[in-house]
Amino acid sequence: MEGTPTGFPREAVATRLLAASVRTSYDPVVEIDWSAPHVPGAYWMPPERSSLYGTSLWTGLSEEQRIELTKHEVASAASAGLWFETILMQMLIRHYYDADPTSRHAQYALTEVADECRHSIMFGRLIEAMGCPVYRADPFDHLLGRWLKATATGPRMYAAILIAEEILDAFQREAMADESIQPLIRMVSRIHVVEEARHVRYARDELARQVEAAGPVGLAYARVVIGRAAYSITRRLVNPRAYAAVGIPPAAGVAAARANPHWRATLRWSAQRIAEHLTELGLVAGPGRLLWRRAGLIGD
C-alpha cells in the first residue's frame, strides 16, 4: 500500500485496502494472552523514550522506579490513543453518513471503524493488564475532542487523524522490534502497526484530495485547527499524573520533561514523517506552525 501514488483513483485505493484487511486483521482478545505473567525487570518501552530519560529526576530513580515510570507512560499513551480513536470513529461515521454506501471508499471507512473498535478494546485491556489507571484528558481537551469529533471535516479531519496515528506508530514500530521490553507491549504494538498502516494510506490519499478541493480561507482555518490538534495530542502523551506513580510531583515532572533535550528530540523524531508530509501539503504554516513549535514537534 505504501507504493500507491497520491491521486490514485479513490475506489481503487479502497478496494486494495479492503483486500488487505481480509488478509491481515486481528482480534486482540484472541491473539493476545492477557493472562501471561509480566517479565521481571523488563521495561515497558525503551528507556531512552521516557520523557524523563537523561534528567536529574531519572538519575534519582531506582531501576524498579524507572521501569514503573515507563509502565505508566505507556498507560498514558494508551489512554490518549483511546481518547483519539473514539474521536476518529465518530468523524469517520459522519463521513460515511453522507457517502454512497455501495462505494468501496465508504465501505473501507466502516472497516476502519471496526478496526478501531478492536484497537480501543485492546488498549483498554492493556491498561487493565498493566494495573494502571486510565489517564483521562483534562476538561479542556475533553471539550476540544467533543468539538473536533462533531465538526471536523476536510483537511482538518484527515490531518488530525494522521497526526495521532503516525506519532503513535513511530513509538510502536520501534517497540515491536525491541526484544528487551515486555512481550505484551511488543504484541500490542505489532497488531496496531499492521492495521494502522492501512488507515494511514486511506487518510493520506483522502487528505490530498481534500486539500485540492479546499479554498484559501478553508485552508487557513484548517492550519490553525491542525496545529491545535498536534499540540493537544502531544501534550496528552504523558499525563502529569503518571509521574506521581513513582513519587515525582506532577508539576516537577512536566517541567523536567519540557526542558529535557532527549524528550524534545523524541517528539521531533516521532512526528518527523507526518510533519514533513503536512508541510509539503501547505498545512504547517502561519499561526498553526507556532502551535507545532510549542508542542515540540518541529524546530524553529
Side-chain angles (χ1 to χ4, degrees), residues 258-280:
R258 291 182 182 176
N260 184 6
H262 290 285
W263 181 236
R264 294 202 303 269
T266 287
L267 290 176
R268 291 194 299 273
W269 160 80
S270 70
Q272 181 177 359
R273 188 166 177 258
I274 185 57
E276 289 177 351
H277 182 65
L278 296 184
T279 298
E280 289 172 2

Side-chain angles (χ1 to χ4, degrees), residues 190-209:
R190 186 173 295 111
I191 288 174
H192 200 247
V193 164
V194 169
E195 297 189 340
E196 288 294 327
R198 300 192 291 267
H199 304 175
V200 167
R201 177 69 265 168
Y202 183 75
R204 281 192 172 224
D205 188 78
E206 189 60 25
L207 177 61
R209 290 189 178 87

Side-chain angles (χ1 to χ4, degrees), residues 1 4 8 14 106 114 118 121 125 129 131 135 138 144 155 183 185 199 222 229 238 249-250 266:
M1 295 308 139
T4 304
F8 205 69
R118 295 193 305 275
I121 292 170
R125 292 288 294 267
Y135 288 104
D138 62 39
L144 182 64
I185 297 302
H199 304 175
V238 183
T266 287

Side-chain angles (χ1 to χ4, degrees), residues 93-210:
I93 288 294
R94 283 197 297 105
H95 177 73
Y96 175 82
Y97 188 79
D98 294 319
D100 175 2
T102 68
S103 73
R104 298 298 178 263
H105 176 81
Q107 290 166 12
Y108 185 75
L110 287 184
T111 302
E112 181 169 339
V113 170
D115 289 346
E116 299 296 8
C117 284
R118 295 193 305 275
H119 294 172
S120 294
I121 292 170
M122 180 170 69
F123 287 156
R125 292 288 294 267
L126 174 63
I127 294 167
E128 179 187 14
M130 291 191 296
C132 292
V134 177
Y135 288 104
R136 298 189 182 279
D138 62 39
F140 181 79
D141 276 346
H142 186 75
L143 183 62
L144 182 64
R146 190 182 298 280
W147 171 77
L148 187 67
K149 69 183 178 61
T151 66
T153 58
R156 59 189 186 275
M157 169 181 164
Y158 285 97
I161 289 171
L162 283 168
I163 292 165
E165 289 183 338
E166 297 206 34
I167 286 176
L168 189 57
D169 184 74
F171 285 98
Q172 291 185 321
R173 282 182 182 274
E174 183 178 67
M176 73 181 194
D178 189 340
E179 296 186 359
S180 71
I181 65 173
Q182 293 285 347
L184 175 60
I185 297 302
R186 299 204 308 270
M187 189 61 183
V188 167
S189 296
R190 186 173 295 111
I191 288 174
H192 200 247
V193 164
V194 169
E195 297 189 340
E196 288 294 327
R198 300 192 291 267
H199 304 175
V200 167
R201 177 69 265 168
Y202 183 75
R204 281 192 172 224
D205 188 78
E206 189 60 25
L207 177 61
R209 290 189 178 87
Q210 297 288 344

Side-chain angles (χ1 to χ4, degrees), residues 52-95:
L52 296 184
Y53 180 82
T55 67
S56 59
L57 289 177
W58 179 267
T59 303
L61 297 175
S62 67
E63 183 72 358
E64 292 76 13
Q65 286 176 313
R66 292 173 183 174
I67 292 170
E68 186 71 7
L69 175 61
T70 63
K71 182 171 76 171
H72 284 266
E73 287 178 313
V74 167
S76 176
S79 298
L82 274 166
W83 171 71
F84 193 79
E85 285 184 343
T86 305
I87 296 169
L88 183 158
M89 286 187 280
Q90 292 178 78
M91 291 193 295
L92 285 172
I93 288 294
R94 283 197 297 105
H95 177 73

